[in-house]
Structure formats: C-alpha cells, structure tokens
Amino acid sequence: MKKTKTNRKMPGKYVYFAFTVIPVVLYTFFYVVSVINGIKYSFTDWDGMSQEYNFVGIKNYRMLLENPNFWNSMKTTVLYSIMLVVGVISVSLMLSISLNSLKRFKTFVKSIFFVPAMIGGVTIALIWDQLFYRVVPLIGQALGIEWLSQSLLMTGKTALPAVVFVQIWQAVAMPTVIFIAGLQQIPDEQYESAKMDGATAFQRFRFITMPYLLPTVTVNLVLVIKQGFTSFDFPYALTGGGPVRSTEVIGILIYNDAFKNLRFSVANAEACILFVLVAIFSLTQIKLTSRGGVNQ
C-alpha cells in the first residue's frame, strides 16, 4: 500500500507568543513595576505603613550622603564584595582545574563540592555560627594561637573575613561547574602543540587556558559581584551587622531602615544607589574582561 505523507504544520507565531505571555506578565509585575515604584517612593517620605505620603525630591539622597552609617555600610559592602570575588574566583578556578584533571571518581567528587550550593544560606550560617563559637576556639587553644582562641565573629577585625569565608565555602560550587564547562571546550591539540614547543605548565595556563576561559570568567564575575553587593543572609544570620557595625553591609542597612525604623523611603533610596553601583561594576568588568579572549 502506498503510504500517505502527512504534513504537520509548525506552530504559528501566535502560539510562540502565547507561551511568552505569562513570563512577561510576571516579570513586568514583580520586577519592572516594583523597580519603578521603588524609585518613585525614594523621592517621598513614605513610612511603609500609611497610604499618604509627600514628595520630598532628593531629600532622602542628600540625607544619605551626609549619613556616616551609610558610608560605613558602603565601604563594608565594597570590601566584602572584593574579598568575595577574589576568594570565589581563585578557589573555584583551582578546584575546576583539579577536578577536570581527575581520571577516576570525577562525578562523585564533583557532586561533593556541589553539596553546599544545595543548602540554604541561613542554614549554612547557623551551622558555621556554632563552629565559630564551639570548635574554632578549641583549635586555637590547642595550637596556642591567641586570636583564634575566641569566636572570630566577636571582634571587628576578624568578623568580616569570617563571614566572607562562610559565603565563599557555599558560593564556589556554581562557578566551579561553569569553569569546568569552559575547560572542556578547550581543544586538546592546543596543549599538545604547546608541550611539543616546550611550554611550561604556567605558560600553557596563561596563553591557552585563560584566553579560552575569559567568557566564563566574565559570567562568574557578574554572578559573584551581584552576590557580594546584595549579600544579606550570611552577614545577618552570623552577626546581625555587628560587632560595632563592622559587618553591616548595605543589605542589612536597607533592612533596618525599612522594617525596624519604618523609613521605607530612605530604604528605597539606598536600594536605588545599590542598583546603580551593581550596574556600574558589572558593566565595567564586562568591558575589561571582554578583551583578550580567543575570539577577540
């Protein structure tokens, strides 16, 4: 019997459009509208509770620029982000190179390093809080290290690095996976040719590995910079911003102004400034890291 060929029509453009309606509506309502309202309320005296408010112009922004606590939080946030970026990128890069070179149990070892990314930030912070208060002092006393003989979260000099360390421990998983994906895209012929030419391991890393990894470096930098500037759960759960505001990042300051001091207009102004800073840092590093890649 002669088989009849059935013609299946491809879905029309209206069908594709229908699938995008719900995501676009949700994105518009929960993000775009929220951002616009936040910018609007930053120019008012809204307390977050009453339905009435007055427009005050740039009063909130001018008040923030004269507030030493705001500048302290900004300085702490920038320092926090720098330490987080350096720690996460360097550790995840070393881990990815080591894991990518494994011959056996590669999947098992990768899954172990990815476990922290599956645990909530507050849960990890509570676990490390007990380690800092109960385990770390015992280690310091056993080794005779004075500054390690008490909780690192109790002093202003060690609290911020301790909080950053905890977030690095949790945050390296995803950048490591991204770096491994980038490493697997590098042709083996490049390394073989370099070895035949007598290139050292460092030279192969500098002139082959890094140029190929620049796109993944850019992705990871954007992710980590965003994590650093918007960090809240780790500093809040571990120290609450103390001691003596030494770990009060901008996220904690926004939370305190909004929900404790009922100054939602001021909190929105702080959030707008944070948004601008994250955009500037992200665009700057994208511009810098876009040069020198293998496709440039």
Side-chain angles (χ1 to χ4, degrees):
M1 294 180 62
K2 187 177 180 180
K3 295 182 180 180
T4 59
K5 186 177 181 181
T6 58
N7 294 324
R8 295 183 179 180
K9 294 183 177 180
M10 295 295 293
K13 59 182 180 180
Y14 296 105
V15 176
Y16 291 119
F17 176 77
F19 280 102
T20 63
V21 170
I22 295 179
V24 169
V25 171
L26 294 176
Y27 180 82
T28 302
F29 181 77
F30 288 103
Y31 183 77
V32 177
V33 175
S34 299
V35 170
I36 294 175
N37 283 332
I39 296 173
K40 180 186 73 173
Y41 286 127
S42 69
F43 296 100
T44 68
D45 59 357
W46 186 48
D47 61 1
M49 302 294 292
S50 62
Q51 296 182 351
E52 297 180 357
Y53 55 85
N54 301 309
F55 282 92
V56 295
I58 61 172
K59 178 182 177 181
N60 293 326
Y61 292 93
R62 187 170 62 249
M63 183 177 60
L64 287 177
L65 296 178
E66 298 173 355
N67 186 358
N69 292 334
F70 171 76
W71 288 109
N72 176 72
S73 295
M74 290 304 304
K75 182 183 71 174
T76 302
T77 302
V78 172
L79 181 60
Y80 189 100
S81 302
I82 293 174
M83 290 191 293
L84 188 68
V85 167
V86 173
V88 170
I89 297 300
S90 58
V91 173
S92 60
L93 181 58
M94 289 186 292
L95 283 176
S96 62
I97 294 175
S98 301
L99 294 176
N100 192 56
S101 62
L102 288 178
K103 302 300 182 182
R104 302 178 60 185
F105 308 111
K106 182 181 294 188
T107 303
F108 175 73
V109 176
K110 287 181 182 178
S111 63
I112 292 178
F113 281 100
F114 198 76
V115 167
M118 303 171 62
I119 306 175
V122 176
T123 302
I124 291 176
L126 294 176
I127 294 173
W128 276 96
D129 179 72
Q130 294 300 310
L131 292 175
F132 281 130
Y133 276 99
R134 301 179 185 276
V135 179
V136 173
L138 295 178
I139 298 176
Q141 293 172 7
L143 298 177
I145 304 176
E146 183 178 355
W147 62 271
L148 203 61
S149 299
Q150 60 179 346
S151 174
L152 298 178
L153 303 176
M154 294 178 61
T155 61
K157 293 183 179 181
T158 58
L160 189 65
V163 176
V164 174
F165 171 82
V166 176
Q167 186 162 357
I168 290 174
W169 182 82
Q170 192 265 352
V172 295
M174 186 59 66
T176 300
V177 173
I178 296 175
F179 274 135
I180 291 176
L183 288 170
Q184 293 176 349
Q185 301 301 317
I186 302 176
D188 294 334
E189 294 79 6
Q190 296 281 350
Y191 292 111
E192 294 175 358
S193 299
K195 289 181 180 179
M196 294 178 61
D197 293 336
T200 63
F202 176 76
Q203 290 174 331
R204 294 195 299 270
F205 173 79
R206 178 182 177 184
F207 296 106
I208 299 177
T209 304
M210 283 309 300
Y212 273 97
L213 285 183
L214 276 181
T216 55
V217 170
T218 301
V219 173
N220 284 332
L221 280 175
V222 172
L223 294 175
V224 180
I225 287 174
K226 182 256 183 184
Q227 288 179 343
F229 276 93
T230 60
S231 290
F232 173 79
D233 47 359
F234 287 99
Y236 189 81
L238 286 168
T239 63
V244 200
R245 297 181 179 269
S246 61
T247 60
E248 188 184 59
V249 293
I250 191 66
I252 295 180
L253 183 66
I254 293 173
Y255 173 83
N256 290 335
D257 280 334
F259 297 102
K260 291 186 177 181
N261 303 326
L262 295 181
R263 301 194 303 169
F264 272 78
S265 58
V266 176
N268 276 294
E270 293 165 347
C272 290
I273 295 175
L274 177 63
F275 173 80
V276 173
L277 286 177
V278 172
I280 292 174
F281 273 87
S282 298
L283 292 175
T284 301
Q285 66 86 21
I286 289 175
K287 184 70 175 178
L288 293 176
T289 54
S290 62
R291 305 171 183 175
V294 294
N295 296 323
Q296 301 302 319

